[in-house]
Amino acid sequence: MLAVISYPPIPIFEVGPVQLSLHGVFAALGFIAGAWLTTKMLGHRGFDTEKYQSALTWGLIGALLGARYFTAPAQLMDGASLLEALNPISGNFSIMGGFAGGIMAGAYRMRKVGLAVWPTLDVATFGLAVGTIVGRIGDLAIVEHLGTATNVAWGYGIRPGYDVAPQHNNLECVAAQAGPDGFCGIYHHVAAYDMLGAIMLLGVLYYIYNKLPVRYGQMFFIWVAWYGFQRFLLDALRIDNGDAVIGAFTWNQISGCTAGVVGLVLVWWMGRTQELVTPEQDRILAGTASAPAVN
């Protein structure tokens, strides 16, 4: 091994009587950054940003509910009671569930306020990618979502005395327990991989958005397919690290693979059924959001 990534985690800290974790701080900053970018891009294309803000509020609530309850079926199948699975403040939380809940609630509100759904979701993919990138900074700071043990040079090395995220407390050690290399162990830094994947996805989205002809809805389902397959692959490194498991796969792997396959099919379907994205069509949709061709 030539090198290894290792830095002291930033644990939960106190601001007056309030306990804060950078995980939550950067999740909030990611939401804000993604919302700002999407609002700016929608306004540039002539869509009603006030209606989008209304849909965004619903999306936030849906994301919070989805993140918690998306894993409830896996908990029930794993033997948890119904009360345990429905407990809003305990159990597993899922970024995939947060995305799904937020998108469904936001899309429902778009239809209620008369905001064209597919153009809005297309633009929102940039906000979703940026939100993922920013949010993962918090995971890197507290060292969360480590994967299986590894000897690759880009693995994360836990040194004695490091206070990593609570889900990895069993990986910590004291100096007497460290190996000959001085580490308690070296593990895949899955949160870093997810951030890098989101950065690549953002670049691909911008290229397609600016260089290639696309139809309404295709950008959104490209994001769905990419991120779904990305989570399927990355969660293979996180088995036995506290995630809900069904058989040989984590719940996020199952949902990610399903999203990836469905996303690819719908990219094809949108290419056959929707209008090409043009400034002229945007103006039509901005004034008549209920047009059946794209809604």
Side-chain angles (χ1 to χ4, degrees):
M1 183 185 304
L2 299 178
V4 66
I5 299 170
S6 186
Y7 56 86
I10 302 175
I12 293 174
F13 58 97
E14 295 183 356
V15 179
V18 179
Q19 288 189 330
L20 293 176
S21 168
L22 289 182
H23 173 90
V25 171
F26 278 95
L29 290 176
F31 179 85
I32 293 170
W36 174 84
L37 178 61
T38 303
T39 300
K40 183 177 180 180
M41 293 179 68
L42 279 174
H44 180 73
R45 287 178 56 172
F47 290 95
D48 192 324
T49 56
E50 290 188 6
K51 291 180 179 179
Y52 171 68
Q53 293 299 318
S54 176
L56 187 66
T57 302
W58 279 60
L60 175 59
I61 297 171
L64 294 173
L65 294 173
R68 173 60 194 92
Y69 291 118
F70 192 74
T71 61
Q75 285 184 270
L76 292 171
M77 295 179 68
D78 200 35
S81 68
L82 182 61
L83 289 178
E84 289 174 329
L86 297 181
N87 189 321
I89 59 174
S90 68
N92 291 310
F93 290 78
S94 164
I95 189 174
M96 296 291 288
F99 283 145
I103 289 166
M104 288 189 292
Y108 172 80
R109 185 59 178 170
M110 290 174 210
R111 289 190 176 276
K112 295 293 288 186
V113 300
L115 181 63
V117 174
W118 294 129
T120 304
L121 289 180
D122 285 341
V123 173
T125 58
F126 294 96
L128 290 166
V130 167
T132 302
I133 295 167
V134 175
R136 286 305 185 195
I137 296 174
D139 295 329
L140 298 183
I142 68 172
V143 186
E144 189 173 27
H145 303 311
L146 293 177
T148 53
T150 182
N151 59 4
V152 298
W154 54 87
Y156 177 81
I158 301 178
R159 295 185 182 276
Y162 277 10
D163 183 13
V164 296
Q167 71 184 97
H168 300 309
N169 283 346
N170 63 315
L171 304 180
E172 298 172 359
C173 75
V174 297
Q177 298 171 313
D181 56 5
F183 294 106
C184 307
I186 300 170
Y187 305 92
H188 283 291
H189 213 332
V190 180
Y193 302 166
D194 196 56
M195 173 189 276
L196 291 174
I199 292 171
M200 292 174 59
L201 173 56
L202 184 62
V204 170
L205 290 173
Y206 266 110
Y207 178 81
I208 295 172
Y209 188 78
N210 290 299
K211 299 295 185 181
L212 301 179
V214 292
R215 296 179 182 271
Y216 290 99
Q218 284 189 308
M219 290 291 296
F220 173 68
F221 287 112
I222 288 171
W223 172 83
V224 170
W226 178 299
Y227 197 69
F229 285 129
Q230 177 173 308
R231 288 312 302 264
F232 173 76
L233 294 173
L234 293 184
D235 264 56
L237 299 175
R238 293 178 59 199
I239 292 178
D240 296 331
N241 272 282
D243 292 342
V245 176
I246 298 178
F249 300 99
T250 68
W251 187 246
N252 272 336
Q253 278 187 288
I254 295 170
S255 57
C257 186
T258 301
V261 172
V262 172
L264 286 179
V265 171
L266 290 176
V267 169
W268 170 81
W269 179 254
M270 292 294 170
R272 293 176 58 88
T273 61
Q274 302 301 310
E275 298 285 344
L276 277 171
V277 176
T278 63
E280 294 76 14
Q281 190 66 22
D282 274 355
R283 286 193 287 271
I284 294 172
L285 292 172
T288 57
S290 61
V294 295
N295 253 353

